[in-house]
């Protein structure tokens, strides 16, 4: 019926009006700042927007909306015509009026009940200040259809407005029966048509003409319409569908006289220019709507731009898009199931693989495309902030400038909507608490105008929103004091907290450092709601601050909620999904490396990962799944009673090890070692070792660790198995498990199973992870590493350069030499096949280098040779000479800085080679030579 | 006179006479409605409330009827008001400035 048609017209009107209001808000802000210099274009834009709203409201008979927009239009008209100056009071009234219009648009059917007397009164006062009286009336005269002289009271401003726009004023009479009903139209349709023909000044039924119930139906009631139109009366009559004699022009002269008399410079002389615009029939219908513009061309221009805008975009109902999203989700699930079901059958059906590939691709693209439709630029939220800041700055007496970057960054519509409140709160907080008063800022040599930067950008599959101010920063001392006073932290805890943890207390519920709770913010319910709202969205909020410099609030958000790529992991027989955005990497710690890579710091297990130390948690522990392991031979899953990830007990068949029969271990590559630390060298383990071998060495004791990221922190989660990466459809948690912190949702796998999606933040909370301690530890270790590396990197060596055979040079580190001795070749004796020489009453074994490495022997004809006696330190003291290395000559003692090259010469104890004094010199390590000769016990480094 | 459907539900609560047409007020029905209204008014002298919550459509004759009813009340000095008006009809009443004369409440 007509009501359905009207519904869509109304909703279009509401949407367009909202657009108008949003579009002109920045202009109004400019107007306010612009002061005297105002661009005509800007004023016209603003005026046209309000005029459109007024027109539509009148058309659809939303009286309050029409009334308020009408008075705003009048005021803006005065401004546009240069008759009213822009000032703070005017702008305040305009903004208040805009807010009221928005309130009316929010519930259009109830708009007439929205009170707006205050706003109207303000405008009236402003105009009265200019000598404008909204309610003043003028009398209009005309002769009615019956030739009778009639008098009407018309609103003066309305008349003036109509005259300004070059309109003629008419009095039209329409009889309910013969002009409306008999023509097959409804009264509503007739009136709507009339409104489109001209600016309706008044419309009514003359009750004098109404008969009582007995005979009312016998009379044809006349409806009178007073309106203004640029059309001449015959054309107006035609447009209205009325006989010409029923459309009569009012006495314009008399009207103008009255208007002149009313006020001095207010006399609107007939706008000759407008009168000259002879309307063409075709344009007749459309012009009145745009008739506000004296220049018809401008109106035409406005219309065409609107038309072209419409061509590029389409209004679509949000519920339609949501429906499409859901369907896409179902399609993704079905595709996953299809792929899984047909997994082993690719060979059975020729061409199947290609078809599946195609379906998979199209599904992914479809899902992506639909997600795009729901993407909205974050500017829609950002753009309301300049106005908020303006209002707050005025209210607080501060000067604040806001800059927005990245307004074009897009997010899923639902995320954008949910962001509005948290962002608004943060912005208000900034204005209220962070930015200082101008005087205060001057005192600390800051620009009196505070700066607020809103920056949105993409990073690593997330959207980051940074809100940065150059205000006073957050003082950890004050925060801690307040937190202790409010009982949020205990004194004892307070001493242990790092600065970062203290600052993050502002997110605690019930926290507020405001001295007085202003009505803007400071009720202590804000920041914790910000955090929980952000986390609900799958995001994370952080604070960085510096006292006296400023603060940055960082929001990290996922791009979309609905379909995300995830890693599937397993614990015992359970499967879980971890969203890929949270995953940094996977670490496979082999059983043999466990002791080296996993340690305990402050009582918690941590993983050494390159330069970082990451806290470790076992997923089975967090989720209270009994720990299990897979029995090597039987493949059975058995309970794991080991407490720690790293078991540093004796590795050699300790009968005390629980649950299994102890049997002697396989002969290891190296002799069994006792000691606290486990084996550092990996036994060959390509083949799963047989039953009885130490389970710790078993490949099934390897650890799969997923490294997750939460904000700027990372931590490792130990799982039993890593499965696939899959695109999953996120389904919300049912209300029964909504409060489980570890889960952020659920999904259906390809095999129909329902599995839970893990929430990184929740895991951290459940595991009570503290990152601050580890950061300190990490720092210490990194510094230590750096120091060692520096020392090792130092290539400065003090060496003794010597020769063996002719032309062969060697360098031996000085700090490893105990003595250099010259001996007579004749004194060398052989015992067995080892040469000895008498050295201070002992027999000193000698080492010939050519026996150990591919070098030439020292010339046996030499009468004298030298012996290098290496320094050996045993049990903390320098021991007696163990051996001597035979060389032919000592050339020099040098301090050299060289980089050693690897050599092709085979043999132990060679560090490398370098060119020293133009000679290729082999650098030796004497202790290794001794060991190679069996003259020293091998040691572990 | 009345068809199978009773033309008006006349619920007289206290002093107010409630006239509640069950059909649209259009050319084909106005005559019957008019007669029923007249009958109902005969017996009462108190306030009259026209309840249009069951009326979806009102045409020129319907408007005439409503105004006739008002006129009758006005002549007898009886307070008259309309209630339960649907949005479309409300719009017409407003455009014709009827709220100036008597209270009209939307449904």
């Amino acid at each position: 019926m007509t009501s359905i048609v009207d519904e869509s017209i109304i909703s279009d009107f509401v949407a367009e009006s909202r657009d108008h209001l949003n579009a002109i808000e920045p202009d109004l802000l400019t107007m306010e700042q612009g002061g005297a210099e105002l661009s005509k274009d800007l004023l016209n834009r603003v005026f046209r927007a309000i005029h459109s709203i007024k027109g539509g409201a009148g058309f659809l008979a939303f009286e309050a909306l029409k009334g308020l927009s009408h008075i705003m239009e009048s005021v803006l008209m005065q401004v546009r015509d240069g008759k009213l100056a822009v000032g703070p009071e005017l702008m305040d009234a305009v903004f208040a009026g805009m807010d009221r219009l928005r309130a009316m648009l929010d519930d259009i059917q109830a708009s007439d009940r929205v009170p707006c007397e205050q706003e109207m009164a303000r405008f009236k006062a402003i105009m009265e200040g200019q000598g404008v009286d909204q309610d003043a009336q003028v009398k209009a005269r005309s002769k009615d259809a019956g030739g009778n002289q009639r008098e009407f009271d018309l609103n003066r401003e309305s008349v003036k407005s109509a005259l300004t726009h070059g309109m003629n004023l008419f009095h039209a009479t329409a009889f309910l029966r013969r002009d409306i009903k008999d023509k097959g139209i409804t009264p509503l349709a007739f009136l709507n048509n009339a409104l489109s023909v001209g600016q309706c000044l008044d419309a009514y039924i003359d009750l004098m003409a109404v008969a009582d119930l007995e005979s009312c139906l016998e009379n044809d009631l006349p409806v009178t319409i007073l309106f203004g139109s640029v059309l001449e009366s015959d054309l107006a009559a035609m447009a209205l569908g009325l006989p010409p004699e029923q459309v009569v022009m009012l006495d314009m002269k008399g009207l103008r006289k009255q208007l002149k008399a009313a006020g001095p410079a207010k006399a609107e002389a007939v706008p000759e220019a407008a009168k000259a615009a002879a309307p063409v029939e075709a344009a007749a219908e459309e012009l009145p709507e745009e008739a506000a513009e004296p220049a018809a061309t401008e109106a035409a221009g406005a219309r065409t731009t609107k038309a072209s805008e419409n061509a590029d975009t389409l209004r679509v109902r949000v519920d339609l898009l949501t429906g499409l999203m859901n369907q896409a989700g179902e399609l993704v699930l079905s595709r996953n199931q299809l792929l899984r079901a047909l997994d082993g059958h690719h060979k059975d059906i020729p061409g199947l693989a290609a078809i599946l590939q195609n379906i998979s691709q199209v599904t992914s693209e479809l899902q992506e495309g639909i997600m795009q439709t729901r993407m909205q630029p974050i500017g829609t939220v950002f753009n309301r902030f300049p106005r908020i800041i303006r209002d707050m700055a005025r209210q607080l007496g501060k000067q604040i400038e806001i800059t927005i970057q990245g307004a074009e960054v897009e997010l899923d519509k639902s995320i954008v909507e949910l962001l509005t409140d948290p962002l608004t709160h943060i912005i208000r907080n900034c204005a209220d608490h962070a930015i200082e008063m101008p005087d205060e800022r001057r005192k600390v040599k800051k620009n009196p105008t505070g700066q607020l930067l809103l920056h949105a950008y993409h990073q690593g599959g997330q959207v980051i929103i940074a809100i940065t101010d150059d205000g006073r920063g957050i003082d950890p001392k004050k925060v801690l004091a307040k937190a202790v006073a409010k009982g949020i932290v205990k004194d004892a805890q307070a001493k242990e907290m790092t600065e970062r943890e203290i600052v993050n207390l502002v997110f605690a519920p019930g926290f507020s450092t405001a001295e007085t709770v202003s009505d803007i913010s400071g009720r202590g319910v804000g920041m914790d709601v910000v955090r929980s709202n952000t986390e609900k969205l799958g995001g994370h909020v952080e604070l960085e601050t510096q006292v006296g410099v400023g603060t940055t609030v960082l929001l990290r958000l996922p791009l979309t909620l609905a379909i995300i790529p995830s890693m599937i992991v397993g614990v015992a027989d359970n499967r879980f999904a971890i969203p890929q955005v949270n995953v940094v990497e996977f670490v496979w710690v082999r059983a043999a490396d466990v002791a080296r890579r996993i340690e305990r710091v402050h009582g918690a297990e941590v993983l050494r990962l390159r330069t970082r130390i990451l806290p470790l948690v076992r997923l089975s522990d967090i989720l209270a799944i009994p720990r299990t392991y897979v029995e090597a031979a039987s493949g059975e899953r058995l309970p794991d009673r080991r407490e720690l990830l790293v078991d540093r007990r004796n590795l050699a068949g300790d009968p005390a090890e629980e649950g299994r029969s102890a049997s002697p271990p396989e002969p290891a590559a190296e002799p069994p070692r006792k000691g606290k630390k486990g084996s550092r060298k990996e036994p060959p383990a390509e083949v799963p070792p047989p039953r009885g071998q130490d389970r710790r060495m078993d490949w099934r004791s390897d650890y799969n660790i997923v490294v997750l990221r939460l904000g700027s922190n990372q931590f490792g989660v130990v799982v039993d198995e890593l499965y696939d990466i899959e695109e999953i459809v996120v389904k919300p948690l049912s209300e029964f498990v909504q409060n489980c912190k570890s889960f952020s949702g659920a999904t259906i796998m390809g095999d129909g199973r329902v599995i839970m999606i893990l929430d990184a933040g929740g895991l951290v909370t459940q595991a009570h992870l503290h990152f601050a301690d580890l950061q300190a530890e990490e720092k210490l270790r990194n510094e230590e590493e750096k120091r060692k590396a520096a020392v090792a990197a130092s290539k400065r060596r003090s060496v003794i350069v010597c020769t063996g055979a002719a032309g062969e040079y060697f360098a031996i580190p000085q700090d490893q030499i105990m003595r250099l001795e010259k001996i007579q070749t004749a004194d060398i004796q052989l015992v067995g096949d080892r040469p000895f020489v008498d050295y201070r009453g002992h027999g000193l074994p000698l080492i010939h280098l050519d026996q150990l490495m591919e070098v030439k022997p020292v010339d046996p004809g030499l009468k004298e040779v030298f012996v290098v006696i290496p320094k050996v330190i045993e049990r903390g003291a320098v021991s007696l000479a163990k051996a001597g290395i035979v060389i032919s000559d000592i050339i020099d003692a040098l301090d050299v800085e060289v980089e050693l090259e690897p050599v092709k010469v085979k043999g132990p104890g060679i560090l490398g080679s370098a060119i020293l004094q133009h000679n290729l010199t082999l650098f030796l390590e004497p202790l290794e030579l001794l060991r190679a000769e069996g003259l020293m016990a091998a040691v572990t480094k | 006179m009345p068809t199978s459907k009773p033309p008006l539900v006349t619920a007289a609560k206290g002093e107010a006479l409630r006239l509640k047409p069950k059909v649209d007020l259009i050319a084909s029905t106005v005559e019957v409605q008019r007669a029923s209204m007249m009958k109902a008014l005969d017996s009462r002298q108190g306030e009259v409330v026209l309840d249009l919550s069951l009326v979806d459509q009102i045409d020129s004759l319907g408007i005439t009827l409503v105004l006739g009813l008002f006129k009758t009340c006005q002549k007898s000095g009886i307070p008259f008001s309309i209630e339960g008006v649907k949005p479309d009809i409300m719009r017409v009443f407003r455009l014709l400035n009827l709220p100036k004369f008597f209270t009209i409440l939307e449904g």
Side-chain angles (χ1 to χ4, degrees):
Chain A
M1 266 181 46
T2 41
S3 53
I4 296 174
V5 172
D6 283 340
E7 278 291 332
S8 77
I9 292 177
I10 293 171
S11 64
D12 278 351
F13 163 70
V14 168
E16 279 164 23
S17 301
R18 283 203 182 112
D19 285 347
H20 280 306
L21 291 177
N22 287 340
I24 59 171
E25 197 160 62
D27 287 335
L28 288 172
L29 288 167
T30 310
M31 253 174 91
E32 191 178 29
Q33 289 157 6
E37 306 282 312
L38 289 172
S39 122
K40 236 193 151 96
D41 282 338
L42 189 151
L43 287 170
N44 269 329
R45 256 202 309 276
V46 174
F47 176 81
R48 266 206 295 271
I50 301 292
H51 175 75
S52 298
I53 296 176
K54 185 201 81 171
F59 185 91
L60 296 168
F62 294 117
E63 293 304 313
L65 191 60
K66 173 175 144 198
L68 181 57
S69 50
H70 174 63
I71 197 169
M72 285 179 71
E73 184 199 39
S74 309
V75 168
L76 289 167
M77 185 160 55
Q78 305 274 319
V79 174
R80 187 190 65 169
D81 298 342
K83 296 192 170 79
L84 199 55
V86 172
E89 267 184 49
L90 175 73
M91 291 316 297
D92 275 347
V94 170
F95 280 120
M98 295 254 298
D99 287 341
R100 198 49 58 160
L101 288 177
R102 279 203 180 98
M104 288 178 183
L105 288 168
D106 280 343
D107 186 356
I108 191 66
Q109 297 291 357
S111 58
D112 285 347
R113 288 195 279 269
V114 173
C116 53
E117 293 78 19
Q118 250 190 351
E119 287 76 12
M120 303 275 284
R122 273 171 103 165
F123 287 117
K124 278 187 195 153
I126 290 174
M127 299 234 277
E128 264 156 35
Q130 302 283 314
V132 176
D133 180 1
Q134 268 296 85
D135 289 333
Q137 307 243 297
V138 289
K139 287 207 183 310
R141 267 183 226 100
S142 84
K143 283 207 176 91
D144 71 2
N148 304 317
Q149 183 87 294
R150 300 294 303 273
E151 222 181 50
F152 311 97
D153 284 328
L154 294 173
N155 180 285
R156 197 179 78 194
E157 289 307 310
S158 306
V159 172
K160 230 179 7 176
S161 167
L163 290 177
T164 312
H165 302 137
M167 293 184 189
N168 298 314
L169 297 178
F170 295 97
H171 156 278
T173 310
F175 288 91
L176 278 176
R177 193 186 305 214
R178 69 178 191 246
D179 291 322
I180 299 178
K181 184 198 164 284
D182 288 349
K183 291 200 174 157
I185 47 181
T186 65
L188 185 59
F190 175 81
L191 290 167
N192 284 340
N193 179 47
L195 288 168
S196 71
V197 168
Q199 184 177 326
C200 181
L201 300 170
D202 206 357
Y204 58 87
I205 291 180
D206 183 2
L207 281 181
M208 301 294 288
V210 176
D212 63 14
L213 209 46
E214 188 151 347
S215 46
C216 60
L217 293 177
E218 289 155 33
N219 289 356
D220 197 355
L221 276 183
V223 175
T224 304
I225 305 173
L226 296 165
F227 67 101
S229 172
V230 292
L231 299 175
E232 297 296 326
S233 56
D234 50 347
L235 285 171
M238 202 186 304
L240 287 170
L242 293 174
E245 61 272 17
Q246 281 171 223
V247 180
V248 178
M249 202 185 296
L250 299 176
D251 172 14
M252 303 304 288
K253 249 193 196 159
L255 273 173
R256 287 194 200 103
K257 254 195 211 154
Q258 286 185 70
L259 290 174
K260 243 189 194 154
K266 292 295 162 272
E268 299 289 357
V270 176
E272 285 87 0
K275 255 211 157 151
V280 177
E281 254 180 65
E285 236 73 61
E286 301 165 87
L287 263 179
E289 208 63 57
E290 307 286 343
E293 302 308 314
T297 45
E298 236 193 285
R303 247 178 296 123
T304 47
T305 42
K306 193 166 185 211
S308 62
E309 268 167 26
N310 285 341
D312 287 338
T313 58
L314 197 60
R315 278 193 204 283
V316 179
R317 289 202 327 269
V318 174
D319 56 343
L320 261 178
L321 289 178
T322 311
L324 282 175
M325 268 290 260
N326 290 338
Q327 296 288 58
E330 294 297 321
L331 188 60
V332 165
L333 284 176
S334 298
R335 179 218 37 203
N336 291 349
Q337 283 176 322
L338 185 65
L339 287 177
R340 190 175 294 224
L342 290 175
D343 199 17
H345 299 279
H346 287 210
K347 293 207 182 99
D348 300 343
I349 304 171
L352 179 62
I355 295 171
L356 288 179
Q357 162 86 341
N358 196 25
I359 288 180
S360 189
Q361 177 137 356
V362 170
T363 304
S364 295
E365 285 176 12
L366 187 67
Q367 178 246 315
E368 257 182 59
I370 291 176
M371 256 176 11
Q372 284 294 319
T373 64
R374 284 178 54 97
M375 298 296 258
Q376 251 192 337
I378 198 161
T380 52
V381 175
F382 282 3
N383 288 337
R384 62 182 61 200
F385 293 134
R387 167 73 194 282
I388 292 178
I389 290 292
R390 174 224 173 246
D391 288 346
M392 285 189 72
R394 286 198 63 184
Q395 205 172 342
L396 298 166
K398 298 183 182 174
Q399 293 164 15
I400 309 176
E401 197 178 275
I402 183 168
T403 313
I404 294 177
Q405 285 173 5
E408 68 283 354
V409 167
E410 288 188 331
L411 286 171
D412 185 86
K413 184 180 189 320
S414 44
I415 300 183
V416 171
E417 280 164 8
L418 288 168
L419 271 182
T420 311
D421 283 343
L423 283 178
T424 308
H425 183 84
I426 295 172
I427 296 284
R428 299 190 123 191
N429 247 2
C430 264
D432 205 6
H433 300 305
I435 307 277
E436 313 94 323
M437 299 292 290
D439 284 335
E440 230 184 290
R441 288 179 67 89
R442 277 191 206 97
K443 277 195 201 132
V444 290
K445 305 247 171 33
K446 283 187 188 173
N447 188 324
T449 305
Q451 294 295 323
L452 194 54
L453 171 65
L454 260 185
H455 186 197
Y457 55 97
H458 285 285
Q459 193 185 71
Q462 292 182 311
V463 169
I464 319 284
I465 300 173
I467 302 127
T468 309
D469 67 69
D470 66 349
R472 53 169 73 94
I474 298 176
D475 187 351
K477 293 195 198 69
K478 280 200 190 140
V479 169
L480 193 56
K482 272 285 169 166
V484 170
K486 290 200 177 240
I488 296 173
V489 286
K490 304 205 176 42
D491 255 322
Q493 269 178 289
K495 295 197 181 85
E496 302 287 312
M497 295 179 82
T498 64
E499 220 173 74
R500 193 164 224 188
E501 284 174 336
I502 295 174
V503 160
N504 277 305
L505 283 174
V506 301
F507 290 114
F511 186 91
S512 166
T513 56
E515 295 304 317
T516 51
V517 173
S518 66
D519 77 328
I520 292 174
S521 52
R523 274 195 202 89
V525 293
M527 287 311 263
D528 73 314
V529 172
V530 168
R531 181 162 65 175
S532 59
N533 273 9
T534 312
E535 285 173 359
K536 250 189 237 165
L537 292 169
H540 190 70
V541 61
E542 289 158 36
L543 258 185
E544 276 164 26
T545 184
Q546 205 178 336
V547 176
V549 176
T551 308
T552 298
V553 181
L554 218 65
L555 292 169
R556 290 176 199 272
L557 301 160
L559 279 175
T560 180
L561 299 176
I563 299 179
I564 51 175
S566 299
M567 181 72 205
I568 310 297
V569 301
V571 172
D573 290 327
N574 303 288
R575 303 265 181 283
F576 299 96
I578 305 180
Q580 207 171 309
V581 283
N582 294 127
V583 175
V584 178
E585 59 185 293
F586 306 115
V587 178
W588 173 43
V589 179
R590 287 191 281 209
D593 292 338
V594 164
R596 177 170 62 84
R597 298 186 69 177
I598 297 180
E599 308 170 14
R600 289 183 83 85
V601 170
H602 299 292
E605 290 184 311
V606 296
L607 169 73
R608 299 200 77 177
L609 184 64
R610 298 183 291 273
T611 58
R612 298 192 68 157
I613 302 178
L614 305 179
L616 270 188
V617 290
R618 295 234 224 182
L619 191 54
S620 52
D621 289 350
I622 301 176
L623 299 179
I625 300 172
R627 292 193 202 174
T628 59
Y629 72 97
V630 174
E631 171 65 54
S634 62
E636 216 183 310
R637 210 169 254 291
L638 296 172
D640 180 353
R641 287 194 285 270
R642 263 200 335 220
E643 278 298 309
L644 303 174
L645 285 167
V646 184
D647 192 342
R648 298 183 197 274
R649 292 167 303 173
N650 286 342
L651 288 171
D654 185 349
E657 278 196 344
E658 76 275 313
R660 289 172 287 116
S661 55
S663 46
E666 297 281 348
E670 272 150 307
R673 282 179 265 285
K674 289 206 181 108
K676 298 250 160 62
K677 310 259 178 196
S679 161
R680 300 277 175 244
K681 296 231 173 81
E682 191 187 302
E686 284 86 19
V687 176
R691 185 181 198 140
Q693 167 116 3
D694 190 341
R695 173 159 69 89
R696 286 169 294 180
M697 291 298 112
D698 186 333
W699 61 270
R700 287 186 191 79
S701 286
D702 296 343
Y703 284 109
N704 296 306
I705 300 177
V706 184
V707 179
L708 297 184
R709 156 188 30 236
L710 185 68
S712 52
N713 292 317
Q714 292 183 6
F715 64 102
V717 177
V718 181
V719 299
D720 290 347
E721 295 281 347
L722 297 176
Y723 293 104
D724 239 336
I725 292 181
E726 285 193 31
E727 268 187 353
I728 58 168
V729 179
V730 177
K731 299 280 183 198
L733 287 176
S734 96
E735 57 185 280
F736 304 113
V737 291
Q738 237 166 30
N739 290 326
C740 288
K741 293 204 177 71
S742 306
F743 305 130
S744 65
T747 185
I748 305 176
M749 299 300 298
D751 59 4
R753 261 208 288 198
V754 175
I755 69 171
M756 307 304 284
I757 302 170
L758 297 176
D759 178 51
L763 293 177
V764 166
T765 312
Q766 290 292 92
H768 306 295
L769 289 180
H770 294 289
F771 293 101
D773 298 339
L774 289 174
Q775 280 160 6
E777 179 74 27
E778 232 176 67
K779 218 170 142 187
L780 270 172
R781 289 200 192 191
N782 284 342
E783 276 162 14
E784 185 63 43
E785 299 277 349
K786 272 193 203 139
R787 234 195 323 241
K788 280 196 196 144
V791 167
S794 144
K795 298 179 206 76
R796 203 154 198 76
R797 302 156 207 271
S798 296
V799 293
I800 300 285
V801 181
C802 47
T803 50
E808 283 183 355
Y809 290 80
F810 300 96
I812 303 175
Q814 273 187 39
D815 57 350
Q816 287 186 36
I817 300 175
M818 193 165 76
R819 274 188 82 79
L820 293 166
E821 291 278 357
K822 197 199 295 200
I823 57 171
Q824 304 299 316
T825 328
D827 292 341
I828 299 174
Q829 292 164 23
L830 275 176
V831 176
D833 50 1
R834 187 180 297 288
F836 279 84
V837 75
D838 189 339
Y839 175 69
R840 296 184 180 186
H842 301 274
L844 183 71
L846 293 177
I847 298 173
H848 287 285
L849 290 173
D850 63 291
Q851 301 287 315
L852 287 173
M853 52 186 79
E854 285 176 357
V855 293
K856 297 200 203 81
V858 168
D859 182 2
L862 287 172
K863 288 236 172 69
E864 284 168 339
V865 288
F866 289 87
V867 169
V868 177
I869 302 175
K871 185 176 358 182
V872 179
I873 299 192
E874 275 179 344
R875 282 183 282 272
V878 179
S879 66
L880 293 170
K882 294 231 181 235
I885 304 167
V886 177
I887 52 174
S888 59
D889 204 357
I890 295 172
I891 307 299
D892 210 346
L894 294 175
D895 264 3
V896 296
E897 198 164 329
V898 287
E899 198 129 41
L900 296 181
E901 306 277 319
V903 284
K904 288 207 177 86
V905 175
K906 287 201 183 117
I910 301 177
L911 291 173
S913 72
I915 303 288
L916 291 185
Q917 294 175 335
H918 310 294
N919 295 314
L920 181 69
T921 312
L922 278 183
F923 282 62
L924 299 177
E925 198 184 6
L927 296 182
E928 266 305 308
L929 297 171
L930 291 182
R931 280 188 210 110
E933 281 287 301
L935 294 168
M936 230 179 95
V939 292
T940 49
K941 283 212 186 70
Chain B
M1 271 303 274
T3 51
S4 51
K5 250 199 230 168
L8 286 178
V9 174
T10 59
K13 285 190 184 141
E15 290 196 17
L17 173 66
R18 287 193 94 84
L19 302 176
K20 190 170 177 178
K22 283 181 168 178
V23 293
D24 291 340
L25 299 179
I26 49 179
S28 52
T29 64
V30 286
E31 181 45 46
V32 167
Q33 295 296 314
R34 185 195 69 78
S36 306
M37 284 179 188
M38 282 210 62
K39 194 157 188 231
L41 280 176
D42 263 348
S43 44
R44 297 306 224 134
Q45 288 299 307
E47 182 189 339
V48 172
V49 176
L50 179 61
D51 185 342
L52 295 180
S53 41
L54 297 177
V55 175
D56 288 324
Q57 244 190 336
I58 189 165
D59 73 359
S60 308
L61 289 175
I63 294 174
T64 311
L65 178 64
V66 169
L67 290 173
L69 177 59
F70 165 65
K71 203 62 188 284
T72 305
C73 292
Q74 195 189 42
K75 267 187 179 168
S76 316
I78 298 172
F80 174 76
S81 62
I82 307 183
E83 281 178 8
V85 181
K86 301 238 163 98
D88 281 355
I89 300 176
M90 195 67 201
R91 225 163 285 139
V92 177
F93 286 172
R94 282 215 190 99
L95 284 170
L96 296 174
N97 270 311
L98 297 186
K100 261 194 214 160
F101 303 114
F102 43 82
T103 307
I104 309 181
L105 295 173
E106 260 187 274

